[in-house]
Amino acid sequence: EVLLVQSGAVVKKRGESLRISCQGSGYTFTNYWISWVRQMPGKGLEWMGSIDPGDSYTKYSPSSQGHVTISADKSISTAYLHWSSLRASDTAIYYCARPFSASLKNWLEPWGQGTPVTVSP
Amino acid sequence: SYILTQPPSVSVAPRQTARIACGGLNIGSKSVHWYQQKPGQAPVLVVFADNDRPSGIPERFSGSNSGNTATLTISRVEAGDEADYYCHVWDSSGHVFGTGTTVTVL
């Protein structure tokens, strides 16, 4: 079974750094991109960026570029989303997801369970 | 950037048909996917590549895509179909999600 398991809920203060993780299992991790999707409270889904774990090539949305860093450690089949300085507006649930096939452009399935991040003032 | 517009809400009586529109410029030339999200849960794929269903998704869920509108159709709606639904495409700039539609079963 293909699974993506994310790290747990986090509460941080504005200005602090944070790294959340997404570990893949049940498939060859380096063969599939991992995408990160944000869902702010009561809002819709927003793609942030994606990484090819095979070579760590990344692609970011314009709104995320420069504010977050996506990385991966293929030795432990884990992708990361990192902030060096959190803002209150980063409060959201963050999902990782994998495309159905090796192409980044495909539909996303499966999804991780989500990591709630709360940033206090 | 590419924009996908959905109605905020759709209400439907049990056993009736719900149709959720997803509007985008020339969306008919793209491959459209749909996700169902229930409160407190991750999104679940219900339709991919315009009108294909993953295993385990009932035949009551179907899709179409032409011109500037893609549509998710839920036939014989059940109480368990109450959820938020999002359309999704790949654009040259990346993954794009629709604004989301809340389906309420009356």
Side-chain angles (χ1 to χ4, degrees), chain A residues 39 95 104-105 107-108 112, chain B residues 35 37 41-42 45 48 86 95:
Chain A
Q39 187 167 40
Y95 294 99
L104 170 61
K105 304 177 183 180
W107 54 94
L108 299 173
Chain B
Y35 303 87
Q37 186 181 34
Q41 298 184 19
L45 182 73
F48 64 92
Y86 296 92
H95 290 286

Side-chain angles (χ1 to χ4, degrees), chain A residues 37-60:
Chain A
V37 176
R38 180 176 76 171
Q39 187 167 40
M40 299 176 71
K43 303 299 183 182
L45 305 173
E46 178 186 7
W47 174 70
M48 301 178 69
S50 305
I51 187 166
D52 177 347
D55 60 8
S56 289
Y57 178 81
T58 52
K59 186 173 177 65
Y60 293 93

